[in-house]
Amino acid sequence: MSSDVNITDSDEGKKVVDSSGKEIGRVAEVSGGQAHVQPDPGVSDTVMSKLGWGSRSEDSFPLDENHIDSVTDDEIRLGSL
């Protein structure tokens, strides 16, 4: 994974996709350089578990930058989970 990922306020609203390009959620907020992702309702519990995301009762979850492969103008792409 990329070690030079820089998450900024401009990343709010971007879609978050897995390594195959499937959308898993959207960046709801950036706080302290960390993206907080609102997961897509169709995201499997397995994917959520691999990302360290717990109960679906939460609105958004922090995205560990170790999972991020790249950040483009339109999306945040994760590496393989």
Side-chain angles (χ1 to χ4, degrees):
M1 307 302 151
S2 177
S3 60
D4 60 350
V5 172
N6 187 22
I7 301 296
T8 66
D9 290 347
S10 66
D11 295 316
E12 285 185 13
K14 288 184 182 179
K15 63 183 174 179
V16 178
V17 299
D18 65 14
S19 59
S20 66
K22 179 181 177 190
E23 186 171 340
I24 64 164
R26 290 225 175 238
V27 177
E29 175 186 19
V30 174
S31 176
Q34 185 174 43
H36 293 266
V37 178
Q38 183 174 24
D40 185 275
V43 172
S44 73
D45 289 337
T46 302
V47 169
M48 290 187 65
S49 176
K50 288 181 179 180
L51 290 169
W53 296 349
S55 167
R56 287 187 178 267
S57 63
E58 296 181 47
D59 288 336
S60 65
F61 299 90
L63 180 59
D64 187 329
E65 69 181 33
N66 293 329
H67 291 297
I68 300 172
D69 185 57
S70 63
V71 179
T72 68
D73 290 342
D74 301 320
E75 67 186 22
I76 295 176
R77 183 172 291 263
L78 306 181
S80 57
L81 297 177

